[in-house]
Amino acid sequence: MKKQHILRRAAILFVAAVVAPMIAACGGSAATEPQVIRETVVVKETSAPIVETVVVKEEVEVAKDTSFTTPHPILGDVKVRQAIAHCVNRPELIKSVYPFLTDEQQQGLLMDTFLPKSHWAANNTSIVSYPFDPEKGMALLKEAGWEEGFNADGLPLFLKFTTTNAAFRQTWATVLEQQLKDNCGIAISRTHAPGSWWFGDTTGLSRRDFELGAFAWVGQTDPGGISLYACNQIPLPSNNWEGQNYMGWCNETASKAIIAANNTLDKAERVKQYAIVQEEFTKDMVSLPLFNRLEAAAANKNLKNFKPNPTEYYTWNVEEWELAGKDTVVLAFTQEPASLYTLVESAAVATTAAGLLSARGVTSLDYDYQAVGMTKLPSIGDGATNEDVEVKAGDMVWTTSGEAVALAEGVEVTNAAGETVVWDGSSALTMKKLTVSFEMKPGMKWQDGIPVSKADYELGYKVSCDPESGATTFTFCDSVATFTQESDTKQTLVFHPGVQWPTFYTGGFGASPAHQVIESDGPYKGKKLAEVPAKDWPTLPEVAEKPLSTGPYKIVSWEKGQKMVFEANENYYGNAPKIKNLVIQFYEDTNAAVAALLTGNVDVVGTETLGAGAEVETVVKAAEEGKLQVQTLASPTWEHIDFNLFIK
Amino acid sequence: MATFLIRRLIQMVIVLLASAIVSYALLYLAPGGPTTGLRQIQQGGRNSITAEDIARIKARFELDLFLPYRFTRWLAGFPSGPITIGGQTFFADTPAGCAIPGQVRLRYPDGTSEIIEEGCEEYVTFADLADRRTSRGIIFGDFGNSQVILRDRPISVLIESRLPYTLQLMGAALFISILIGVPLGIYSAVRQYSRFDYVMTTVSFVGSSLPTFVIGIICILIFAIAAKEAGLPYLPPGSAVALSDYTVPWIGTVESESTLDRLLHFIMPCGVLVFVNIAGYSRFIRSGMLEVLRLDYVRTARSKGLRERTVVLKHALRNAILPFITLLAGVFAELFGGAAITEAIFNWPGLGRLLVDSIERTDYTVAMSLTMVSIFLLLLGYLITDILYSVLDPRIRLS
């Protein structure tokens, strides 16, 4: 008994002696810690957005936000960034990943700015270029106060380099590390993180957790770029990391120009503004463009008219393909499409397969657009108007942040002169109102022979813009004020004042077969497609698996995990495809697909399947031996190194 | 026997439930899913993604519900809305999830500020659940919808399309390998250190040490590519059926999708699996038999003057086969689960490949369904093994 007593006492003492001070220490330090002010942020803007959504308590004097305002001690200096650009031998980087290309082909991949050289908005004249020149690099470093790898304060010239663990990035980054060290004495330490971290929602790039960060952007026919280069698009802890300007680059001239470039429909003006952005971009050297990735598509050497293009799916001219002596062409995919309903599924494989089933309105070859099913691309004055209209309180307008709201005091919009204004609630405000008409060529039919009608387009619009449809984004729908299908071929869209889509001419809403009778089992059996609510479309086999075609081919069967079988659509309004049957065969990996191409079991391995890995080398060599035809393209996806101009 | 069965069945349910909770929680923590990559889309254009877009996608795939409700809805389709008892509705306003997370801005005295997610701006209530589609629950055979691979459509469609191929391949491979492996092991044990035994052990050593992908690729090289180039009859390198008719020397033209075509495609993947399985099974049986053959009762049986055949098959084998039965407990799970690597090499459209695909493409509902069925079949296998024990070994009584 006594012993127990002592033990208990000892335990109490122990608690008193050890644990209590610990608790006290914790509590104490918390008490002495300065007050953190908590404010609730308005997340959902239901009516007109209130620009300052944070209610700051009045009695507290709030200091200016200082996170990411301290310039990076090394990269904050433009001379150092320019030096790095001169110290990097980019052709050698390209050679390290694509050794099998000729020098000329390698040169074709080199990027000097954020647009490829062949892009319509590329500035190839007034930009600053950074040829490999270590001496110049060293001189710039010296000017910036860096000698022998240290500055006057004894700070070492050492940078962290972050990117993904993709094999080809490891390859060129190894070469880069060597180059920087040998040529200019810049030491870098490489981190090859998993993509899930580097591109995570709350990690890596999106939190600007890097010094030198390498990744790729996918270039587009329309260069866009506001979210990448405008001053108000810098992700910061204080704006909940909104924006994609990860460098923290704020150059007033460039920022104004990029907004202006996206706020006008005049192509010449856009070219001019983009030229300014590129000039500033290269002058400030905030991000070092490296190269376009390589893309390749390979095919049976007897396949005629196989013309893959960097900005269009390689099946864009499938009806012109010819294959001597065969009536079936076989395409290899390594990923099975999740659905043929392109509203909910936009992976390249799904779009390629679904593309066979639809009559195209436009093609987007070579970073530009061409009318195919449309009689012409509308332009201002010819099928489209862009008039100045006076707007008043309560009118629906398009805000600068890309939302349709009723005009009220405090709403930020772009006025007719292209200036960003916050409406004061009373003064006169004029905005641009865009109206576009699209005219399709006549004679388009569904595969069952029934002509595509006004009702079909109306159904297409209704379903595409139904919030329950399962689509990812409704920004375009929201920007449309009125949709009118005037006839079986003519569609007119009136946008909210302020909407200035630079690519307004690329097309309106597509058609869905309103007359189609549902044959699959379920609650809609026997009804017409038009009667099925939008939320059930993605699960309907008539929509997801065997949609009615208006395109060159129609789908016959889809054996999951194995293949999709297509045959020529006799009701296609364009030229009948020259090859009667088309099969998409699924393979486990690129290697297997290429093996099948070499043995003749497959006729086409497209860009999305071939990728840019080791298999490209295999097909390029096979093509040199005359076994295949291969097209190598500069992909719109381009590698670059971002410099983080600030530290946390 | 009856009490044993009841006890085992209760245990089975508990194990099944526990493993469901654990694997569901693990996949819940894993990154990815239908909202992956949305933030990498360049913002500002016609395809901008707003917070509401993300909330809508999350709602469509139930990602906005709290974990316990998500789990029970997936498991048993409950709750599917507010609970109504005698015309009265309960829990209509009880939150079941969070549609839009709340944000709090923290301002620090040093001037920095940070926005963190905390609390909830807009809840999903039980009443909201009534408007949503609800699966009947996996325990009632409704696997729910795929998130990525077959976006928004039933997983059962995916499984149905793959199951016949897996059953065919795994069933045949297992049957043939038991049929050959067991006698081989017995013979090898009885004739220990004979030339046959040496050859057998060497071959099975090779078979069990080489991974299937190595054997598979070697087979493709020899029987598909080299044979074809040499003008000999060859086997197709992959897939379950050919896309078009082809000619094989000595056999003639093989029509695509004919029985012969299917058979030719079947031989190689099945052969590789059989080879690997035989290697494993025969080694197992051999060592079991060797142990038993040394025992006294076998000697006694021999000295009684029984025929060697009776001694080996009746006295020795029946005792040696017990551990082998345990090995076979996993057969059902294997039948269903397929052989991921072999299926991948031979481009065989089976369930093993589906499981690998679903994990790679972060389609966790599909991965969960396949895992659950496998666990169930594995437990069923163990139950059957236990019953088999009592049949084979009179010493074991189930009670």
Side-chain angles (χ1 to χ4, degrees), chain A residues 30-51:
Chain A
T32 54
E33 213 172 74
Q35 193 82 44
V36 175
I37 303 162
R38 303 170 67 88
E39 299 151 354
T40 306
V41 180
V42 180
V43 184
K44 213 179 133 195
E45 290 161 353
T46 38
S47 58
I50 302 147
V51 178

Side-chain angles (χ1 to χ4, degrees), chain A residues 514-535:
Chain A
H515 69 278
Q516 190 180 11
V517 178
I518 306 303
E519 282 163 11
S520 57
D521 290 331
Y524 303 111
K525 194 172 181 177
K527 289 190 177 171
K528 286 193 175 156
L529 186 60
E531 298 171 82
V532 181
K535 77 169 164 45

Side-chain angles (χ1 to χ4, degrees), chain B residues 25 38 42 74 84 97 177 192 195 207 253 264 267 297 307 320 323-324 328 341 359 379 381 384:
Chain B
L38 291 182
Q42 211 193 95
W74 168 79
T84 314
S177 33
Q192 199 189 5
R195 195 166 294 166
T253 304
L264 288 177
I267 292 175
Y297 64 82
R307 281 193 309 162
F324 184 68
L328 290 185
I341 297 169
I359 293 169
L379 292 174
I384 295 175

Side-chain angles (χ1 to χ4, degrees), chain B residues 42-102:
Chain B
Q42 211 193 95
Q43 293 289 302
R46 282 161 66 151
N47 299 321
S48 296
I49 307 280
T50 63
E52 282 182 19
D53 290 331
I54 290 180
R56 198 181 315 106
I57 295 164
K58 282 187 167 176
R60 199 170 178 92
F61 294 102
E62 308 244 301
L63 303 177
D64 55 352
L65 298 188
F66 296 139
L67 179 59
Y69 298 122
R70 244 168 92 178
F71 178 70
T72 52
R73 274 167 69 83
W74 168 79
L75 189 75
F78 173 87
S80 58
I83 294 152
T84 314
I85 303 168
Q88 275 224 288
T89 312
F90 297 97
F91 301 116
D93 296 328
T94 311
C98 182
I100 298 175

Side-chain angles (χ1 to χ4, degrees), chain A residues 37-39 41 44 65 225 238 240 335 338 344 467-468 473-475 539 545 562-563 585 588, chain B residues 41-42 48 56 60 103 105 107 111 113 118 122 148-149 151-153 165 243 257 347 353 361:
Chain A
I37 303 162
R38 303 170 67 88
E39 299 151 354
V41 180
K44 213 179 133 195
D65 196 338
S238 52
N240 200 21
Q335 187 186 319
V344 299
E468 299 270 293
T473 157
F474 292 93
T475 307
T539 45
E545 283 179 31
Q562 297 191 62
K563 61 181 174 181
Q585 170 82 24
E588 180 59 20
Chain B
I41 295 173
Q42 211 193 95
S48 296
R56 198 181 315 106
R60 199 170 178 92
Q103 289 183 352
R105 173 172 295 178
R107 279 196 194 278
S113 73
E118 194 179 88
E122 199 179 300
V148 182
I149 293 185
R151 199 167 168 103
D152 233 5
R153 277 177 303 139
Y165 290 98
L243 292 169
E257 297 193 31
N347 204 33
R353 231 178 85 185
R361 293 174 61 190

Side-chain angles (χ1 to χ4, degrees), chain A residues 444-491:
Chain A
M444 201 188 287
K445 284 180 192 154
W446 296 103
Q447 70 185 52
D448 52 14
I450 293 177
V452 176
S453 71
K454 191 176 164 203
D456 296 337
Y457 284 104
E458 282 166 350
L459 179 65
Y461 169 69
K462 193 182 121 217
V463 170
S464 308
C465 292
D466 189 319
E468 299 270 293
S469 69
T472 334
T473 157
F474 292 93
T475 307
F476 187 67
C477 283
D478 291 345
S479 72
V480 175
T482 55
F483 162 93
T484 322
Q485 187 68 35
E486 294 173 19
S487 67
D488 288 348
T489 53
K490 192 176 178 191
Q491 184 177 113

Side-chain angles (χ1 to χ4, degrees), chain A residues 270-287:
Chain A
R270 303 192 73 203
V271 171
K272 198 179 110 198
Q273 298 294 352
Y274 275 118
I276 297 172
V277 185
Q278 291 168 70
E279 218 176 293
E280 296 297 321
F281 178 82
T282 51
K283 205 160 72 190
D284 285 357
M285 188 32 74
V286 286
S287 168

